[in-house]
Amino acid sequence: MLAGALLVYLGAVLALVALGRPTDARAVAGFVPDCLVLCRRLLADSRVPRRHRVLLAGLLAYLASPLDLIPDFIPVIGQLDDALIAAVVLRTVRRGVRRSIVRQHWPGPPQTLRIVERIVSRRS
């Protein structure tokens, strides 16, 4: 399953580059760094409930830690585990924080945020 997800992710980035859409490829490749900035900004916002700030702090610690489920030096797949964990935490946080607050703090391209919102808004 993980190998399949890796192939889809790599294929998506390469397809976007091949189709002449470098901005979209950057958005996909920059998802984790954009999530780091978003988490840092949400942590500093007093409108975010404490329990969600604790989750965000844990996510930042995990992303900054050299110990990962899959080491980051492995191309693409090393960042995939980070992206999946970030998506789960953001889904939880998004359910407890107003959309306008998240949009205010998102550093990446707006189209990436729309994709993230679609993913994290889905019901379990």
Side-chain angles (χ1 to χ4, degrees):
M1 189 162 91
L2 186 58
L6 168 65
L7 289 174
V8 169
Y9 176 75
L10 181 59
V13 173
L14 292 176
L16 290 170
V17 171
L19 291 171
R21 297 173 59 185
T23 303
D24 293 339
R26 180 260 175 242
V28 171
F31 174 73
V32 171
D34 289 342
C35 287
L36 285 169
V37 173
L38 175 65
C39 290
R40 184 182 52 79
R41 291 176 179 175
L42 289 173
L43 276 170
D45 194 323
S46 62
R47 298 173 290 178
V48 176
R50 180 180 297 206
R51 67 182 177 276
H52 296 299
R53 286 188 282 176
V54 168
L55 281 173
L56 291 167
L59 175 61
L60 284 176
Y62 176 78
L63 293 175
S65 170
L67 302 175
D68 276 345
L69 295 174
I70 301 170
D72 286 340
F73 65 82
I74 299 173
V76 182
I77 195 168
Q79 288 77 37
L80 185 60
D81 70 321
D82 294 347
L84 292 174
I85 291 170
V88 169
V89 170
L90 288 175
R91 180 181 184 148
T92 303
V93 170
R94 175 58 196 95
R95 289 180 176 174
V97 177
R98 288 193 319 258
R99 179 177 291 171
S100 61
I101 295 172
V102 174
R103 285 183 176 171
Q104 175 185 349
H105 293 303
W106 180 254
Q111 67 267 26
T112 306
L113 180 58
R114 285 191 294 275
I115 292 167
V116 170
E117 286 178 338
R118 265 188 265 138
I119 292 168
V120 301
S121 310
R122 291 189 178 167
R123 295 187 186 268
S124 301

PDB file of all heavy atoms in Angstrom, residues 80-118:
ATOM      1  N   LEU A  80       6.942  11.258   2.513  1.00  0.00           N
ATOM      2  CA  LEU A  80       5.562  10.802   2.459  1.00  0.00           C
ATOM      3  C   LEU A  80       4.995  10.527   3.852  1.00  0.00           C
ATOM      4  O   LEU A  80       3.871  10.902   4.142  1.00  0.00           O
ATOM      5  CB  LEU A  80       5.435   9.560   1.581  1.00  0.00           C
ATOM      6  CG  LEU A  80       4.024   9.054   1.338  1.00  0.00           C
ATOM      7  CD1 LEU A  80       3.194  10.123   0.641  1.00  0.00           C
ATOM      8  CD2 LEU A  80       4.054   7.795   0.505  1.00  0.00           C
ATOM      9  N   ASP A  81       5.796   9.898   4.730  1.00  0.00           N
ATOM     10  CA  ASP A  81       5.281   9.646   6.076  1.00  0.00           C
ATOM     11  C   ASP A  81       5.027  10.956   6.810  1.00  0.00           C
ATOM     12  O   ASP A  81       4.049  11.095   7.535  1.00  0.00           O
ATOM     13  CB  ASP A  81       6.210   8.722   6.879  1.00  0.00           C
ATOM     14  CG  ASP A  81       7.526   9.372   7.262  1.00  0.00           C
ATOM     15  OD1 ASP A  81       8.086  10.122   6.440  1.00  0.00           O
ATOM     16  OD2 ASP A  81       7.993   9.130   8.395  1.00  0.00           O
ATOM     17  N   ASP A  82       5.901  11.939   6.590  1.00  0.00           N
ATOM     18  CA  ASP A  82       5.694  13.255   7.197  1.00  0.00           C
ATOM     19  C   ASP A  82       4.388  13.878   6.696  1.00  0.00           C
ATOM     20  O   ASP A  82       3.618  14.447   7.476  1.00  0.00           O
ATOM     21  CB  ASP A  82       6.862  14.199   6.871  1.00  0.00           C
ATOM     22  CG  ASP A  82       8.178  13.749   7.493  1.00  0.00           C
ATOM     23  OD1 ASP A  82       8.153  12.859   8.371  1.00  0.00           O
ATOM     24  OD2 ASP A  82       9.219  14.297   7.104  1.00  0.00           O
ATOM     25  N   ALA A  83       4.150  13.776   5.402  1.00  0.00           N
ATOM     26  CA  ALA A  83       2.936  14.355   4.821  1.00  0.00           C
ATOM     27  C   ALA A  83       1.677  13.670   5.359  1.00  0.00           C
ATOM     28  O   ALA A  83       0.678  14.334   5.654  1.00  0.00           O
ATOM     29  CB  ALA A  83       2.983  14.256   3.300  1.00  0.00           C
ATOM     30  N   LEU A  84       1.725  12.360   5.515  1.00  0.00           N
ATOM     31  CA  LEU A  84       0.554  11.640   6.025  1.00  0.00           C
ATOM     32  C   LEU A  84       0.258  12.005   7.477  1.00  0.00           C
ATOM     33  O   LEU A  84      -0.899  12.232   7.840  1.00  0.00           O
ATOM     34  CB  LEU A  84       0.767  10.130   5.881  1.00  0.00           C
ATOM     35  CG  LEU A  84       0.796   9.604   4.451  1.00  0.00           C
ATOM     36  CD1 LEU A  84       1.162   8.124   4.437  1.00  0.00           C
ATOM     37  CD2 LEU A  84      -0.525   9.826   3.756  1.00  0.00           C
ATOM     38  N   ILE A  85       1.293  12.086   8.304  1.00  0.00           N
ATOM     39  CA  ILE A  85       1.093  12.463   9.701  1.00  0.00           C
ATOM     40  C   ILE A  85       0.599  13.896   9.790  1.00  0.00           C
ATOM     41  O   ILE A  85      -0.310  14.210  10.568  1.00  0.00           O
ATOM     42  CB  ILE A  85       2.390  12.237  10.509  1.00  0.00           C
ATOM     43  CG1 ILE A  85       2.652  10.729  10.626  1.00  0.00           C
ATOM     44  CG2 ILE A  85       2.307  12.893  11.888  1.00  0.00           C
ATOM     45  CD1 ILE A  85       3.988  10.363  11.178  1.00  0.00           C
ATOM     46  N   ALA A  86       1.163  14.782   8.974  1.00  0.00           N
ATOM     47  CA  ALA A  86       0.712  16.175   8.959  1.00  0.00           C
ATOM     48  C   ALA A  86      -0.756  16.257   8.560  1.00  0.00           C
ATOM     49  O   ALA A  86      -1.529  17.021   9.155  1.00  0.00           O
ATOM     50  CB  ALA A  86       1.574  17.001   8.003  1.00  0.00           C
ATOM     51  N   ALA A  87      -1.172  15.464   7.587  1.00  0.00           N
ATOM     52  CA  ALA A  87      -2.570  15.488   7.146  1.00  0.00           C
ATOM     53  C   ALA A  87      -3.514  15.034   8.257  1.00  0.00           C
ATOM     54  O   ALA A  87      -4.580  15.633   8.455  1.00  0.00           O
ATOM     55  CB  ALA A  87      -2.741  14.603   5.906  1.00  0.00           C
ATOM     56  N   VAL A  88      -3.124  14.008   9.008  1.00  0.00           N
ATOM     57  CA  VAL A  88      -3.975  13.518  10.101  1.00  0.00           C
ATOM     58  C   VAL A  88      -4.116  14.582  11.191  1.00  0.00           C
ATOM     59  O   VAL A  88      -5.213  14.858  11.683  1.00  0.00           O
ATOM     60  CB  VAL A  88      -3.418  12.197  10.677  1.00  0.00           C
ATOM     61  CG1 VAL A  88      -4.123  11.821  11.970  1.00  0.00           C
ATOM     62  CG2 VAL A  88      -3.547  11.084   9.656  1.00  0.00           C
ATOM     63  N   VAL A  89      -2.995  15.197  11.569  1.00  0.00           N
ATOM     64  CA  VAL A  89      -3.048  16.232  12.609  1.00  0.00           C
ATOM     65  C   VAL A  89      -3.842  17.434  12.120  1.00  0.00           C
ATOM     66  O   VAL A  89      -4.686  17.967  12.846  1.00  0.00           O
ATOM     67  CB  VAL A  89      -1.623  16.640  13.057  1.00  0.00           C
ATOM     68  CG1 VAL A  89      -1.664  17.881  13.944  1.00  0.00           C
ATOM     69  CG2 VAL A  89      -0.946  15.485  13.782  1.00  0.00           C
ATOM     70  N   LEU A  90      -3.598  17.856  10.887  1.00  0.00           N
ATOM     71  CA  LEU A  90      -4.337  19.006  10.353  1.00  0.00           C
ATOM     72  C   LEU A  90      -5.829  18.715  10.249  1.00  0.00           C
ATOM     73  O   LEU A  90      -6.654  19.603  10.463  1.00  0.00           O
ATOM     74  CB  LEU A  90      -3.779  19.412   8.993  1.00  0.00           C
ATOM     75  CG  LEU A  90      -2.413  20.079   9.030  1.00  0.00           C
ATOM     76  CD1 LEU A  90      -1.909  20.330   7.614  1.00  0.00           C
ATOM     77  CD2 LEU A  90      -2.446  21.361   9.826  1.00  0.00           C
ATOM     78  N   ARG A  91      -6.170  17.484   9.966  1.00  0.00           N
ATOM     79  CA  ARG A  91      -7.593  17.118   9.925  1.00  0.00           C
ATOM     80  C   ARG A  91      -8.233  17.306  11.300  1.00  0.00           C
ATOM     81  O   ARG A  91      -9.319  17.869  11.427  1.00  0.00           O
ATOM     82  CB  ARG A  91      -7.741  15.678   9.463  1.00  0.00           C
ATOM     83  CG  ARG A  91      -9.169  15.228   9.391  1.00  0.00           C
ATOM     84  CD  ARG A  91      -9.267  13.798   8.947  1.00  0.00           C
ATOM     85  NE  ARG A  91     -10.658  13.444   8.798  1.00  0.00           N
ATOM     86  CZ  ARG A  91     -11.125  12.596   7.930  1.00  0.00           C
ATOM     87  NH1 ARG A  91     -10.312  11.978   7.128  1.00  0.00           N
ATOM     88  NH2 ARG A  91     -12.405  12.346   7.863  1.00  0.00           N
ATOM     89  N   THR A  92      -7.537  16.859  12.324  1.00  0.00           N
ATOM     90  CA  THR A  92      -8.043  17.003  13.687  1.00  0.00           C
ATOM     91  C   THR A  92      -8.136  18.467  14.087  1.00  0.00           C
ATOM     92  O   THR A  92      -9.143  18.918  14.637  1.00  0.00           O
ATOM     93  CB  THR A  92      -7.132  16.240  14.673  1.00  0.00           C
ATOM     94  OG1 THR A  92      -7.064  14.872  14.258  1.00  0.00           O
ATOM     95  CG2 THR A  92      -7.648  16.321  16.089  1.00  0.00           C
ATOM     96  N   VAL A  93      -7.089  19.216  13.787  1.00  0.00           N
ATOM     97  CA  VAL A  93      -7.062  20.639  14.142  1.00  0.00           C
ATOM     98  C   VAL A  93      -8.128  21.390  13.353  1.00  0.00           C
ATOM     99  O   VAL A  93      -8.831  22.236  13.906  1.00  0.00           O
ATOM    100  CB  VAL A  93      -5.662  21.232  13.902  1.00  0.00           C
ATOM    101  CG1 VAL A  93      -5.674  22.751  14.017  1.00  0.00           C
ATOM    102  CG2 VAL A  93      -4.660  20.628  14.883  1.00  0.00           C
ATOM    103  N   ARG A  94      -8.265  21.081  12.088  1.00  0.00           N
ATOM    104  CA  ARG A  94      -9.230  21.791  11.238  1.00  0.00           C
ATOM    105  C   ARG A  94     -10.663  21.656  11.759  1.00  0.00           C
ATOM    106  O   ARG A  94     -11.467  22.554  11.631  1.00  0.00           O
ATOM    107  CB  ARG A  94      -9.125  21.270   9.800  1.00  0.00           C
ATOM    108  CG  ARG A  94     -10.133  21.811   8.836  1.00  0.00           C
ATOM    109  CD  ARG A  94     -10.072  23.337   8.740  1.00  0.00           C
ATOM    110  NE  ARG A  94     -11.261  23.822   8.110  1.00  0.00           N
ATOM    111  CZ  ARG A  94     -12.345  24.251   8.750  1.00  0.00           C
ATOM    112  NH1 ARG A  94     -12.393  24.257  10.059  1.00  0.00           N
ATOM    113  NH2 ARG A  94     -13.380  24.694   8.097  1.00  0.00           N
ATOM    114  N   ARG A  95     -10.950  20.534  12.370  1.00  0.00           N
ATOM    115  CA  ARG A  95     -12.298  20.339  12.917  1.00  0.00           C
ATOM    116  C   ARG A  95     -12.562  21.225  14.128  1.00  0.00           C
ATOM    117  O   ARG A  95     -13.708  21.454  14.475  1.00  0.00           O
ATOM    118  CB  ARG A  95     -12.494  18.877  13.280  1.00  0.00           C
ATOM    119  CG  ARG A  95     -12.591  18.001  12.052  1.00  0.00           C
ATOM    120  CD  ARG A  95     -12.779  16.568  12.406  1.00  0.00           C
ATOM    121  NE  ARG A  95     -12.969  15.786  11.192  1.00  0.00           N
ATOM    122  CZ  ARG A  95     -13.040  14.485  11.169  1.00  0.00           C
ATOM    123  NH1 ARG A  95     -12.934  13.801  12.290  1.00  0.00           N
ATOM    124  NH2 ARG A  95     -13.211  13.854  10.039  1.00  0.00           N
ATOM    125  N   GLY A  96     -11.505  21.741  14.769  1.00  0.00           N
ATOM    126  CA  GLY A  96     -11.685  22.570  15.955  1.00  0.00           C
ATOM    127  C   GLY A  96     -11.310  24.026  15.768  1.00  0.00           C
ATOM    128  O   GLY A  96     -11.378  24.807  16.711  1.00  0.00           O
ATOM    129  N   VAL A  97     -10.890  24.392  14.562  1.00  0.00           N
ATOM    130  CA  VAL A  97     -10.450  25.770  14.294  1.00  0.00           C
ATOM    131  C   VAL A  97     -11.207  26.288  13.076  1.00  0.00           C
ATOM    132  O   VAL A  97     -11.385  25.566  12.090  1.00  0.00           O
ATOM    133  CB  VAL A  97      -8.925  25.802  14.029  1.00  0.00           C
ATOM    134  CG1 VAL A  97      -8.466  27.200  13.676  1.00  0.00           C
ATOM    135  CG2 VAL A  97      -8.157  25.278  15.227  1.00  0.00           C
ATOM    136  N   ARG A  98     -11.648  27.538  13.151  1.00  0.00           N
ATOM    137  CA  ARG A  98     -12.388  28.127  12.027  1.00  0.00           C
ATOM    138  C   ARG A  98     -11.537  28.162  10.756  1.00  0.00           C
ATOM    139  O   ARG A  98     -10.329  28.399  10.797  1.00  0.00           O
ATOM    140  CB  ARG A  98     -12.840  29.538  12.383  1.00  0.00           C
ATOM    141  CG  ARG A  98     -13.958  29.559  13.397  1.00  0.00           C
ATOM    142  CD  ARG A  98     -14.601  30.943  13.495  1.00  0.00           C
ATOM    143  NE  ARG A  98     -13.656  32.034  13.447  1.00  0.00           N
ATOM    144  CZ  ARG A  98     -13.241  32.726  14.502  1.00  0.00           C
ATOM    145  NH1 ARG A  98     -13.701  32.441  15.696  1.00  0.00           N
ATOM    146  NH2 ARG A  98     -12.387  33.714  14.360  1.00  0.00           N
ATOM    147  N   ARG A  99     -12.181  27.938   9.638  1.00  0.00           N
ATOM    148  CA  ARG A  99     -11.514  27.919   8.333  1.00  0.00           C
ATOM    149  C   ARG A  99     -10.793  29.239   8.059  1.00  0.00           C
ATOM    150  O   ARG A  99      -9.700  29.261   7.503  1.00  0.00           O
ATOM    151  CB  ARG A  99     -12.540  27.643   7.245  1.00  0.00           C
ATOM    152  CG  ARG A  99     -11.946  27.618   5.859  1.00  0.00           C
ATOM    153  CD  ARG A  99     -12.972  27.284   4.827  1.00  0.00           C
ATOM    154  NE  ARG A  99     -13.343  25.895   5.026  1.00  0.00           N
ATOM    155  CZ  ARG A  99     -14.345  25.303   4.407  1.00  0.00           C
ATOM    156  NH1 ARG A  99     -15.088  25.975   3.561  1.00  0.00           N
ATOM    157  NH2 ARG A  99     -14.623  24.042   4.621  1.00  0.00           N
ATOM    158  N   SER A 100     -11.392  30.344   8.457  1.00  0.00           N
ATOM    159  CA  SER A 100     -10.779  31.649   8.189  1.00  0.00           C
ATOM    160  C   SER A 100      -9.434  31.797   8.888  1.00  0.00           C
ATOM    161  O   SER A 100      -8.521  32.435   8.359  1.00  0.00           O
ATOM    162  CB  SER A 100     -11.721  32.776   8.617  1.00  0.00           C
ATOM    163  OG  SER A 100     -11.978  32.707  10.005  1.00  0.00           O
ATOM    164  N   ILE A 101      -9.297  31.208  10.056  1.00  0.00           N
ATOM    165  CA  ILE A 101      -8.021  31.278  10.785  1.00  0.00           C
ATOM    166  C   ILE A 101      -6.952  30.493  10.033  1.00  0.00           C
ATOM    167  O   ILE A 101      -5.826  30.961   9.864  1.00  0.00           O
ATOM    168  CB  ILE A 101      -8.184  30.766  12.231  1.00  0.00           C
ATOM    169  CG1 ILE A 101      -9.117  31.681  13.013  1.00  0.00           C
ATOM    170  CG2 ILE A 101      -6.830  30.647  12.933  1.00  0.00           C
ATOM    171  CD1 ILE A 101      -9.505  31.161  14.384  1.00  0.00           C
ATOM    172  N   VAL A 102      -7.317  29.297   9.579  1.00  0.00           N
ATOM    173  CA  VAL A 102      -6.363  28.472   8.832  1.00  0.00           C
ATOM    174  C   VAL A 102      -5.963  29.180   7.542  1.00  0.00           C
ATOM    175  O   VAL A 102      -4.776  29.257   7.201  1.00  0.00           O
ATOM    176  CB  VAL A 102      -6.947  27.078   8.542  1.00  0.00           C
ATOM    177  CG1 VAL A 102      -6.015  26.266   7.649  1.00  0.00           C
ATOM    178  CG2 VAL A 102      -7.215  26.332   9.852  1.00  0.00           C
ATOM    179  N   ARG A 103      -6.925  29.729   6.831  1.00  0.00           N
ATOM    180  CA  ARG A 103      -6.613  30.436   5.576  1.00  0.00           C
ATOM    181  C   ARG A 103      -5.707  31.635   5.811  1.00  0.00           C
ATOM    182  O   ARG A 103      -4.833  31.931   5.003  1.00  0.00           O
ATOM    183  CB  ARG A 103      -7.904  30.889   4.906  1.00  0.00           C
ATOM    184  CG  ARG A 103      -8.647  29.768   4.260  1.00  0.00           C
ATOM    185  CD  ARG A 103      -9.868  30.264   3.541  1.00  0.00           C
ATOM    186  NE  ARG A 103     -10.514  29.154   2.856  1.00  0.00           N
ATOM    187  CZ  ARG A 103     -11.686  29.242   2.295  1.00  0.00           C
ATOM    188  NH1 ARG A 103     -12.357  30.381   2.319  1.00  0.00           N
ATOM    189  NH2 ARG A 103     -12.211  28.193   1.690  1.00  0.00           N
ATOM    190  N   GLN A 104      -5.924  32.326   6.900  1.00  0.00           N
ATOM    191  CA  GLN A 104      -5.114  33.495   7.227  1.00  0.00           C
ATOM    192  C   GLN A 104      -3.644  33.122   7.393  1.00  0.00           C
ATOM    193  O   GLN A 104      -2.758  33.880   7.025  1.00  0.00           O
ATOM    194  CB  GLN A 104      -5.641  34.122   8.519  1.00  0.00           C
ATOM    195  CG  GLN A 104      -4.830  35.273   9.032  1.00  0.00           C
ATOM    196  CD  GLN A 104      -5.357  35.751  10.377  1.00  0.00           C
ATOM    197  OE1 GLN A 104      -6.428  35.365  10.828  1.00  0.00           O
ATOM    198  NE2 GLN A 104      -4.592  36.592  11.022  1.00  0.00           N
ATOM    199  N   HIS A 105      -3.380  31.936   7.920  1.00  0.00           N
ATOM    200  CA  HIS A 105      -2.007  31.543   8.235  1.00  0.00           C
ATOM    201  C   HIS A 105      -1.342  30.651   7.183  1.00  0.00           C
ATOM    202  O   HIS A 105      -0.155  30.364   7.308  1.00  0.00           O
ATOM    203  CB  HIS A 105      -1.980  30.819   9.587  1.00  0.00           C
ATOM    204  CG  HIS A 105      -2.330  31.703  10.739  1.00  0.00           C
ATOM    205  ND1 HIS A 105      -1.646  32.861  11.040  1.00  0.00           N
ATOM    206  CD2 HIS A 105      -3.305  31.603  11.672  1.00  0.00           C
ATOM    207  CE1 HIS A 105      -2.172  33.422  12.099  1.00  0.00           C
ATOM    208  NE2 HIS A 105      -3.189  32.690  12.499  1.00  0.00           N
ATOM    209  N   TRP A 106      -2.062  30.192   6.157  1.00  0.00           N
ATOM    210  CA  TRP A 106      -1.487  29.279   5.160  1.00  0.00           C
ATOM    211  C   TRP A 106      -0.461  30.011   4.303  1.00  0.00           C
ATOM    212  O   TRP A 106      -0.769  31.012   3.665  1.00  0.00           O
ATOM    213  CB  TRP A 106      -2.584  28.700   4.278  1.00  0.00           C
ATOM    214  CG  TRP A 106      -2.051  27.756   3.242  1.00  0.00           C
ATOM    215  CD1 TRP A 106      -1.924  28.000   1.913  1.00  0.00           C
ATOM    216  CD2 TRP A 106      -1.562  26.433   3.460  1.00  0.00           C
ATOM    217  NE1 TRP A 106      -1.394  26.905   1.279  1.00  0.00           N
ATOM    218  CE2 TRP A 106      -1.154  25.938   2.207  1.00  0.00           C
ATOM    219  CE3 TRP A 106      -1.424  25.632   4.586  1.00  0.00           C
ATOM    220  CZ2 TRP A 106      -0.623  24.654   2.049  1.00  0.00           C
ATOM    221  CZ3 TRP A 106      -0.902  24.363   4.436  1.00  0.00           C
ATOM    222  CH2 TRP A 106      -0.512  23.884   3.181  1.00  0.00           C
ATOM    223  N   PRO A 107       0.811  29.501   4.238  1.00  0.00           N
ATOM    224  CA  PRO A 107       1.859  30.184   3.481  1.00  0.00           C
ATOM    225  C   PRO A 107       1.967  29.769   2.020  1.00  0.00           C
ATOM    226  O   PRO A 107       2.602  30.455   1.228  1.00  0.00           O
ATOM    227  CB  PRO A 107       3.133  29.764   4.225  1.00  0.00           C
ATOM    228  CG  PRO A 107       2.819  28.378   4.675  1.00  0.00           C
ATOM    229  CD  PRO A 107       1.345  28.404   5.033  1.00  0.00           C
ATOM    230  N   GLY A 108       1.394  28.640   1.670  1.00  0.00           N
ATOM    231  CA  GLY A 108       1.567  28.094   0.321  1.00  0.00           C
ATOM    232  C   GLY A 108       0.559  28.623  -0.672  1.00  0.00           C
ATOM    233  O   GLY A 108      -0.242  29.513  -0.370  1.00  0.00           O
ATOM    234  N   PRO A 109       0.582  28.035  -1.843  1.00  0.00           N
ATOM    235  CA  PRO A 109      -0.358  28.434  -2.890  1.00  0.00           C
ATOM    236  C   PRO A 109      -1.800  28.146  -2.479  1.00  0.00           C
ATOM    237  O   PRO A 109      -2.066  27.132  -1.832  1.00  0.00           O
ATOM    238  CB  PRO A 109       0.041  27.564  -4.086  1.00  0.00           C
ATOM    239  CG  PRO A 109       1.398  27.042  -3.779  1.00  0.00           C
ATOM    240  CD  PRO A 109       1.517  27.002  -2.302  1.00  0.00           C
ATOM    241  N   PRO A 110      -2.731  29.016  -2.850  1.00  0.00           N
ATOM    242  CA  PRO A 110      -4.137  28.818  -2.482  1.00  0.00           C
ATOM    243  C   PRO A 110      -4.709  27.490  -2.980  1.00  0.00           C
ATOM    244  O   PRO A 110      -5.516  26.874  -2.303  1.00  0.00           O
ATOM    245  CB  PRO A 110      -4.860  29.992  -3.136  1.00  0.00           C
ATOM    246  CG  PRO A 110      -3.810  31.005  -3.395  1.00  0.00           C
ATOM    247  CD  PRO A 110      -2.525  30.266  -3.574  1.00  0.00           C
ATOM    248  N   GLN A 111      -4.274  27.024  -4.157  1.00  0.00           N
ATOM    249  CA  GLN A 111      -4.817  25.765  -4.669  1.00  0.00           C
ATOM    250  C   GLN A 111      -4.425  24.587  -3.782  1.00  0.00           C
ATOM    251  O   GLN A 111      -5.206  23.636  -3.631  1.00  0.00           O
ATOM    252  CB  GLN A 111      -4.426  25.507  -6.133  1.00  0.00           C
ATOM    253  CG  GLN A 111      -2.958  25.251  -6.381  1.00  0.00           C
ATOM    254  CD  GLN A 111      -2.186  26.501  -6.731  1.00  0.00           C
ATOM    255  OE1 GLN A 111      -2.562  27.593  -6.353  1.00  0.00           O
ATOM    256  NE2 GLN A 111      -1.084  26.340  -7.444  1.00  0.00           N
ATOM    257  N   THR A 112      -3.270  24.647  -3.150  1.00  0.00           N
ATOM    258  CA  THR A 112      -2.866  23.579  -2.232  1.00  0.00           C
ATOM    259  C   THR A 112      -3.755  23.595  -0.998  1.00  0.00           C
ATOM    260  O   THR A 112      -4.172  22.540  -0.513  1.00  0.00           O
ATOM    261  CB  THR A 112      -1.392  23.732  -1.819  1.00  0.00           C
ATOM    262  OG1 THR A 112      -0.587  23.813  -2.984  1.00  0.00           O
ATOM    263  CG2 THR A 112      -0.939  22.558  -0.980  1.00  0.00           C
ATOM    264  N   LEU A 113      -4.060  24.763  -0.497  1.00  0.00           N
ATOM    265  CA  LEU A 113      -4.933  24.856   0.676  1.00  0.00           C
ATOM    266  C   LEU A 113      -6.314  24.312   0.355  1.00  0.00           C
ATOM    267  O   LEU A 113      -6.917  23.618   1.169  1.00  0.00           O
ATOM    268  CB  LEU A 113      -5.032  26.294   1.181  1.00  0.00           C
ATOM    269  CG  LEU A 113      -5.918  26.492   2.405  1.00  0.00           C
ATOM    270  CD1 LEU A 113      -5.432  25.642   3.578  1.00  0.00           C
ATOM    271  CD2 LEU A 113      -5.977  27.945   2.796  1.00  0.00           C
ATOM    272  N   ARG A 114      -6.812  24.583  -0.851  1.00  0.00           N
ATOM    273  CA  ARG A 114      -8.125  24.043  -1.230  1.00  0.00           C
ATOM    274  C   ARG A 114      -8.097  22.513  -1.237  1.00  0.00           C
ATOM    275  O   ARG A 114      -9.037  21.864  -0.780  1.00  0.00           O
ATOM    276  CB  ARG A 114      -8.562  24.585  -2.585  1.00  0.00           C
ATOM    277  CG  ARG A 114      -9.039  26.031  -2.512  1.00  0.00           C
ATOM    278  CD  ARG A 114      -9.706  26.461  -3.805  1.00  0.00           C
ATOM    279  NE  ARG A 114      -8.802  26.514  -4.944  1.00  0.00           N
ATOM    280  CZ  ARG A 114      -8.033  27.555  -5.247  1.00  0.00           C
ATOM    281  NH1 ARG A 114      -8.059  28.646  -4.501  1.00  0.00           N
ATOM    282  NH2 ARG A 114      -7.253  27.522  -6.302  1.00  0.00           N
ATOM    283  N   ILE A 115      -7.009  21.934  -1.724  1.00  0.00           N
ATOM    284  CA  ILE A 115      -6.872  20.476  -1.728  1.00  0.00           C
ATOM    285  C   ILE A 115      -6.800  19.958  -0.296  1.00  0.00           C
ATOM    286  O   ILE A 115      -7.469  18.990   0.060  1.00  0.00           O
ATOM    287  CB  ILE A 115      -5.628  20.047  -2.532  1.00  0.00           C
ATOM    288  CG1 ILE A 115      -5.835  20.351  -4.014  1.00  0.00           C
ATOM    289  CG2 ILE A 115      -5.330  18.566  -2.318  1.00  0.00           C
ATOM    290  CD1 ILE A 115      -4.581  20.255  -4.843  1.00  0.00           C
ATOM    291  N   VAL A 116      -6.004  20.622   0.532  1.00  0.00           N
ATOM    292  CA  VAL A 116      -5.876  20.215   1.940  1.00  0.00           C
ATOM    293  C   VAL A 116      -7.229  20.301   2.626  1.00  0.00           C
ATOM    294  O   VAL A 116      -7.623  19.383   3.352  1.00  0.00           O
ATOM    295  CB  VAL A 116      -4.832  21.091   2.677  1.00  0.00           C
ATOM    296  CG1 VAL A 116      -4.860  20.844   4.170  1.00  0.00           C
ATOM    297  CG2 VAL A 116      -3.445  20.836   2.118  1.00  0.00           C
ATOM    298  N   GLU A 117      -7.969  21.365   2.395  1.00  0.00           N
ATOM    299  CA  GLU A 117      -9.287  21.514   3.014  1.00  0.00           C
ATOM    300  C   GLU A 117     -10.237  20.411   2.577  1.00  0.00           C
ATOM    301  O   GLU A 117     -11.009  19.898   3.381  1.00  0.00           O
ATOM    302  CB  GLU A 117      -9.883  22.886   2.690  1.00  0.00           C
ATOM    303  CG  GLU A 117      -9.232  24.002   3.457  1.00  0.00           C
ATOM    304  CD  GLU A 117      -9.781  25.365   3.100  1.00  0.00           C
ATOM    305  OE1 GLU A 117     -10.355  25.541   1.996  1.00  0.00           O
ATOM    306  OE2 GLU A 117      -9.639  26.269   3.923  1.00  0.00           O
ATOM    307  N   ARG A 118     -10.179  20.029   1.302  1.00  0.00           N
ATOM    308  CA  ARG A 118     -11.032  18.938   0.833  1.00  0.00           C
ATOM    309  C   ARG A 118     -10.673  17.627   1.529  1.00  0.00           C
ATOM    310  O   ARG A 118     -11.547  16.865   1.919  1.00  0.00           O
ATOM    311  CB  ARG A 118     -10.910  18.764  -0.675  1.00  0.00           C
ATOM    312  CG  ARG A 118     -11.999  19.499  -1.412  1.00  0.00           C
ATOM    313  CD  ARG A 118     -11.982  19.156  -2.887  1.00  0.00           C
ATOM    314  NE  ARG A 118     -11.194  20.214  -3.526  1.00  0.00           N
ATOM    315  CZ  ARG A 118     -10.295  20.017  -4.474  1.00  0.00           C
ATOM    316  NH1 ARG A 118     -10.049  18.823  -4.920  1.00  0.00           N
ATOM    317  NH2 ARG A 118      -9.634  21.011  -4.982  1.00  0.00           N
TER     318      ARG A 118
END
